[in-house]
Amino acid sequence: MKKFLLIFSVAFFSLNLTAQSYQELSERAIDYIEKDSLEQAEKLFREALKLEPANPHNALLFSNIGTIQRRSRQYEMAIESYTFALNIAPRAVPILLNRATTYMEIGMTDRAYIDYCEVLDLDKVNIEALLMRAYIYIIRRDYNAAHLDYRRLLELDPENYNGRLGLTNLYQKQGKYSHALEIINKLLVERPDDPVVYMYRAGIEQDMKHYDLALIDLDESIRLQPDNPQPYMVRGEIYLEQKKKGLAKTDFEKAISLGVPLSDLREQLKKCR
């Protein structure tokens, strides 16, 4: 009996030690993530997985590995890790959202769409999924479906910044400029120092061929955020339309100096000759 109890105690102690090791490895990995030591964090997560390959909490570990890989731009590997996680916990909304985000980052919008739909089947009021699915509908030019998602989102969160910008973009693409300006002007009253909102209004004014108004808004956007290449590109396009090739070239070159690949603006630069 004493021998049996000794063996049982040793076995119990070993199991407890293993459980602690799994937890300790996971906690240490999180610490490394917070210190931005991603390679070491992934290594610890994988050690924990080897200790307890059948632990249901491995869904979280695989998801964490996927996020590390995504941050390291290892997108295909990240998708694989999120898929492993979803094989364990197929109804985990945060993991579905993470995988969808990764799909979006590599342009696989159809795959992302499936994940966002799955999220909304599980959580009909998920703001992120509504926002991103609406964006995908715009890409597909399914404007009616996009409108439904944006309206649903804004019913849930009327002040949602990205949702309001998204609906503005939708109205602009539909040529409903008065609706788009109504939303963007309200945003500017609330956020008078937001360079992005000025950019959006300039885009609407450009489509309406109100170039002088668009240039004023672009100048303000640049003043508020001088290291953003986007307003220089848009302003360059307007200058080209106005036959101001010298000014256009200066703006395109500025955008390139701020990180825009030369290949993206090569055709525009040719028009400046």
Side-chain angles (χ1 to χ4, degrees):
M1 177 62 73
K2 288 182 180 180
K3 184 178 181 180
F4 173 79
L5 289 174
L6 179 61
I7 293 171
F8 177 81
S9 298
V10 170
F12 179 80
F13 177 78
S14 298
L15 286 170
N16 190 46
L17 181 62
T18 301
Q20 286 179 343
S21 298
Y22 177 93
Q23 184 176 348
E24 286 170 359
L25 286 167
S26 301
E27 290 173 353
R28 285 174 57 201
I30 296 296
D31 289 340
Y32 275 115
I33 289 176
E34 292 173 355
K35 296 174 184 176
D36 211 29
S37 298
L38 302 184
E39 186 176 342
Q40 187 62 31
E42 182 177 349
K43 180 180 177 182
L44 291 173
F45 280 132
R46 292 195 182 282
E47 288 181 16
L49 288 169
K50 288 178 183 177
L51 276 179
E52 298 191 27
N55 192 315
H57 291 101
N58 286 345
L60 181 58
L61 269 58
F62 276 119
S63 179
N64 287 335
I65 290 172
T67 299
I68 290 169
Q69 292 165 333
R70 195 176 87 217
R71 285 175 60 180
S72 302
R73 300 182 184 276
Q74 298 172 308
Y75 297 118
E76 297 295 339
M77 295 174 67
I79 289 169
E80 184 178 75
S81 295
Y82 288 135
T83 302
F84 284 144
L86 289 166
N87 287 339
I88 300 169
R91 297 171 62 84
V93 166
I95 302 174
L96 281 165
L97 289 173
N98 282 336
R99 188 172 68 176
T101 298
T102 311
Y103 281 136
M104 292 296 293
E105 288 176 352
I106 59 175
M108 298 180 69
T109 55
D110 289 345
R111 294 283 185 90
Y113 172 79
I114 293 170
D115 280 349
Y116 288 128
C117 288
E118 180 70 18
V119 169
L120 289 166
D121 285 342
L122 297 166
D123 177 12
K124 297 186 185 302
V125 296
N126 190 283
I127 296 294
E128 181 181 347
L130 283 168
L131 180 68
M132 296 309 300
R133 190 172 71 174
Y135 174 73
I136 293 171
Y137 281 136
I138 287 181
I139 293 173
R140 295 178 172 184
R141 299 188 179 185
D142 189 347
Y143 297 145
N144 289 333
H147 190 267
L148 288 173
D149 274 356
Y150 280 130
R151 297 309 301 180
R152 176 60 175 153
L153 187 160
L154 292 171
E155 285 173 5
L156 296 166
D157 182 7
E159 303 304 314
N160 188 279
Y161 174 74
N162 289 319
R164 292 159 80 185
L165 286 180
L167 187 57
T168 299
N169 183 39
L170 173 61
Y171 283 141
Q172 181 183 351
K173 288 185 178 298
Q174 291 178 303
K176 299 178 180 179
Y177 300 124
S178 60
H179 288 75
L181 285 171
E182 181 181 356
I183 297 171
I184 215 69
N185 286 334
K186 285 181 181 178
L187 273 170
L188 272 174
V189 171
E190 299 168 14
R191 307 168 70 104
D193 296 322
D194 188 334
V196 174
V197 182
Y198 283 101
M199 268 285 303
Y200 266 76
R201 189 167 71 175
I204 299 165
E205 291 160 344
Q206 181 186 13
D207 283 357
M208 297 174 73
K209 301 191 183 303
H210 295 167
Y211 296 137
D212 290 342
L213 292 176
L215 289 171
I216 291 170
D217 280 340
L218 289 167
D219 288 345
E220 185 64 13
S221 181
I222 289 169
R223 185 187 71 80
L224 292 167
Q225 192 179 16
D227 59 348
N228 180 8
Q230 191 65 30
Y232 294 102
M233 293 169 65
V234 177
R235 194 170 67 178
E237 292 284 0
I238 292 175
Y239 283 145
L240 267 184
E241 292 185 47
Q242 295 179 324
K243 309 301 182 184
K244 298 176 180 178
K245 295 183 178 181
L247 291 174
K249 181 182 178 184
T250 298
D251 271 351
F252 292 141
E253 289 175 343
K254 179 65 175 179
I256 291 168
S257 74
L258 292 171
V260 176
L262 173 60
S263 58
D264 289 359
L265 291 173
R266 185 171 284 115
E267 291 302 315
Q268 286 88 336
L269 286 169
K270 285 180 181 178
K271 295 176 184 177
C272 294
R273 294 172 183 170

